[in-house]
Every structure is written in structure tokens, then in C-alpha cells.
Amino acid sequence: MRRPRTLREQLTFFFACSVLGTTLLYGVLVTAVLATGEWIEHTANPSLGLTEGIFDEARQALGAILFSMPFAVLGSTAIAGALARRALAPLREASDRVRAARASELDLRLPDRGTRDEWDTLAATLNELLADARASLVRIRSFTSDAAHELRTPLTIILGETEVSLRRERTPEEYRRTLAIVLDETRRLTHLVDELLQLARADAGTQAMTVEPVDLYSLARLSLQRTEQHLAAQSRNLTLELKGGPTQVWGSPVLLTHVLDNLLSNARRHARERIRVELDATDMGLRVTVGDDGEGVDAAFQARLFQRFARADPSRHGEGIGLGLAMSRTIAEAHGGTLDYARVDGESLFTLRLPKPKASGEPPLPAGHAIADRTTS
């Protein structure tokens, strides 16, 4: 089986062929010019033919070219090889850097010579790709670390409560108390694992989202009813308001319900007296606003509000796991919309914006976007 040529061999071959081809073409042109000149000279003065052939000089030139051809081949090959080696120097330098770089850190940047040639274009493109990969690696490590921390907390509580209960015989009330703690932590653990699975599926885009016409007003009304039930169970009294009318969008009713439940759950934890949900249509699309009269998000924390596992007070447990708002924004973006926060006139406002349905009835979702069509409550 014939061995494929290396890049250096190919460049050497191309350079040598170019030199030889140019030399041959030049030799043919010189021979033709000499032959034409002698023919014109003999035509003008036929007596010269007795002492000198018509194409003597041309034949001498052609012979000299053929005689020098082997030396030209060797010389052009040697020069072409040296030029090819020099041209490939950036590739060797890049190869050395890649070999020395650590895959776990992606601490690699390919050389940019500033010549704006093909190599610089390739190096710039690969450097951008490496920068994105480094940023993704940092996010994955941070996410993994946060997930491990969040998973360890309920597991530690379950293990500790169980070990303490098994050290001696307990009364039924003590066993009941321990089991209640284990049940709460198991539910928290299950909720956390489910949220992590949702985010992993959303990031991977492994399952296409099934969309259909959805009435946001009906979803908001049902979410408010569930909020009212939670408040009754906690013996809290808040004023719940719902403004707007039937509002049709294209989307997943399960996922949009998850967004509304998350926003209302967040408002329920922080509201003092009132929670307001308002739906309206704008020129840009449809808007759902969930507001509460709580203290609002600290200005220093707002930049991290939608990050995963971000909580204003990390020491608090049992009041969310820091994934609800991140998951809600992911769902909003999967529907071609946005989810933002603002503090306006003493009210905390989470605004969900979704695109209007097209007149053709086709869903206005980003092409190719995918997300898991399953949620938890």
C-alpha cells in the first residue's frame, strides 16, 4: 500500500514542480526565440546557410537545458525542502505547545505572528475555540462542585440522623421525628437530582421540546391557586392579584407551568403583603410579570441571580436550592423568550417575555433548540 505523502513532502513536490516547470517553459521560449531569430536571419541572407545551420544556436540552448536538468531537479528539490520546512515552522511550534499543554487545564494558545495570513486566521479561530472550551470547563467544574456540595448536605443529614437513632432504643415519637427529617431531606435530594437532570438535558439538547398552543392566563391562574394552597398550609395571608386576559403562545404547558410555579414560589417566600401577576401583549411579544412587595434582591447579588446554585444567603437551607431561576431562564430561552429581574417602585418584578405566535400558526421557537419536556414541582 502506497504511503500517503506528508504535508512537507507535498509542499516540496509542489515547489520543485513549480521551479522545474518554470525553467522548462523559459528554456522552450529561449529556444523558440533563438530558432525564430536564426530563421529570419537565414531568410534575409541565404548565403549563411553554407557556413551555419539554421537552428544551431537553438539546439545548443536546448542541449544546455537538458544537460542542466538533473542539477536543476536536485537544486530545486533541496531549496523547496528548505522552504517547506520554514513555511511549516508555525505548525511545529503549535504542535510543541499542544504537546506541552495540559488537557485538564486547556492552558493553550496557538502562536499568532501578526501577518494576517492563512496561519494567523487558523490560529485565531482555534484560539477562540480554546477560549470557549476553557470557559465551558470552568463552568462545568463550578457546576460539578456546587452540585456535589448540594448533594452532600442532605446525605450528611440523613446519615447523621440515622446513625444517632440506631445507637440505642428510641421511643416511637423519636423514631417518628427522625423519619420525618429523613423524609424531608430525601424529598429535597430527589428534587435536587431532578433539577440537575433537567439542566443536564437542557444543556445537552437531547430531547426535542413538544410545543402546542398554550393559554398563559389559565396557567397563571392555576399556579396562583397552588400558591394559595401553600399559603394556607403555612397559615400565611397574602393578597394575590391576577391581571390580564387569555393570552395564547406556542410552547410546552408543562415547562411554562414550571416557570410560573418557580416565580410564584420565589415571590411567596419574599412577599410581605402582596403578590401580583400581570399578563399583557406588546409589540415585541407577550409579557408575564410576577411582582412582590418584598425587600428585593440585593444589588450586589443581582448579577448572579440567574446563575445555578446562586443564593443570596448560602447559609439558608430548605428555601430553594438555587436552581429554580436558572432553570426558568433556560426554559424561557428555549421558547425564544427572556426572563429578567428589576426593582421598580419598591416592587420586585420578574418579567417573562415570549414571542407572539406567527399568523401561520407555526411555533416561533428557535430552530433546532431542544430541551427536556419534563419537569418537577
Side-chain angles (χ1 to χ4, degrees):
M1 184 176 179
R2 185 178 180 184
R3 182 179 67 84
R5 291 175 178 168
T6 64
L7 181 58
R8 182 181 175 186
E9 289 173 343
Q10 291 185 40
L11 289 175
T12 302
F13 177 76
F14 292 150
F15 290 160
C17 288
S18 299
V19 172
L20 291 175
T22 304
T23 303
L24 286 174
L25 178 62
Y26 177 74
V28 170
L29 290 176
V30 170
T31 303
V33 170
L34 291 174
T36 303
E38 290 185 14
W39 180 77
I40 294 174
E41 187 177 354
H42 279 77
T43 301
N45 189 5
S47 60
L48 293 177
L50 299 176
T51 58
E52 187 178 356
I54 297 179
F55 302 117
D56 286 349
E57 292 184 2
R59 281 196 292 268
Q60 291 175 1
L62 183 60
I65 292 173
L66 294 177
F67 176 76
S68 62
M69 185 60 67
F71 302 99
V73 171
L74 294 176
S76 61
T77 303
I79 294 173
L83 293 176
R85 182 177 179 78
R86 183 172 182 178
L88 295 176
L91 287 179
R92 288 197 301 277
E93 183 181 354
S95 178
D96 293 339
R97 291 194 183 190
V98 171
R99 192 179 298 109
R102 292 188 299 166
S104 59
E105 298 293 343
L106 288 178
D107 54 345
L108 172 65
R109 180 173 179 79
L110 299 180
D112 185 347
R113 301 179 302 172
T115 55
R116 298 183 180 181
D117 57 3
E118 290 77 4
W119 165 252
D120 274 4
T121 303
L122 176 62
T125 303
L126 292 178
N127 284 334
E128 291 178 2
L129 181 63
L130 289 169
D132 291 341
R134 279 193 295 270
S136 297
L137 183 62
V138 171
R139 287 196 298 270
I140 290 173
R141 285 179 172 174
S142 176
F143 180 72
T144 304
S145 175
D146 291 339
H149 175 75
E150 294 294 332
L151 289 170
R152 186 176 60 181
T153 301
L155 287 174
T156 302
I157 295 175
I158 292 173
L159 184 61
E161 291 291 332
T162 305
E163 287 179 346
V164 170
S165 297
L166 292 177
R167 287 176 183 170
R168 61 177 175 83
E169 289 295 327
R170 304 285 179 177
T171 64
E173 289 74 17
E174 290 174 327
Y175 282 126
R176 192 174 294 109
R177 185 194 66 82
T178 300
L179 288 176
I181 294 174
V182 170
L183 179 61
D184 287 343
E185 293 303 322
T186 304
R187 284 174 175 166
R188 171 180 159 81
L189 193 60
T190 302
H191 179 62
L192 174 60
V193 171
D194 226 345
E195 292 282 3
L196 291 173
L197 182 61
Q198 290 282 348
L199 287 170
R201 287 178 174 173
D203 289 342
T206 55
Q207 185 175 348
M209 180 173 62
T210 303
V211 297
E212 58 185 77
V214 179
D215 182 6
L216 279 179
Y217 185 83
S218 298
L219 296 185
R221 182 164 47 81
L222 293 174
S223 292
L224 278 174
Q225 290 177 358
R226 286 190 289 274
T227 301
E228 193 172 11
Q229 293 171 359
H230 280 291
L231 291 172
Q234 296 173 348
S235 301
R236 292 184 61 192
N237 186 21
L238 295 177
T239 301
L240 305 181
E241 299 178 9
L242 175 60
K243 297 181 180 179
T247 305
Q248 290 285 333
V249 297
W250 272 90
S252 165
V254 176
L255 294 178
L256 292 176
T257 297
H258 190 56
V259 174
L260 293 172
D261 285 347
N262 274 334
L263 297 181
L264 284 172
S265 175
N266 182 72
R268 176 168 51 82
R269 289 199 300 270
H270 300 289
R272 293 169 176 164
E273 297 180 354
R274 181 170 59 91
I275 295 176
R276 179 174 64 88
V277 179
E278 185 173 348
L279 295 88
D280 58 352
T282 67
D283 295 337
M284 302 301 294
L286 306 174
R287 183 172 60 192
V288 181
T289 304
V290 178
D292 67 79
D293 59 350
E295 293 184 357
V297 180
D298 185 74
F301 180 70
Q302 288 185 14
R304 300 177 55 237
L305 183 60
F306 293 96
Q307 292 181 3
R308 297 170 185 183
F309 294 110
R311 282 179 291 191
D313 184 0
S315 63
R316 294 190 305 178
H317 296 288
E319 294 186 359
I321 55 178
L323 287 176
L325 291 177
M327 188 67 199
S328 297
R329 174 172 275 188
T330 300
I331 293 173
E333 292 173 349
H335 283 76
T338 59
L339 177 62
D340 300 298
Y341 169 81
R343 183 76 175 174
V344 180
D345 297 333
E347 190 178 28
S348 295
L349 299 178
F350 284 90
T351 304
L352 170 67
R353 292 182 174 84
L354 298 173
K356 284 184 177 180
K358 293 181 179 179
S360 60
E362 296 179 356
L365 301 179
H369 204 111
I371 190 173
D373 190 7
R374 179 172 171 267
T375 187
T376 60
S377 60

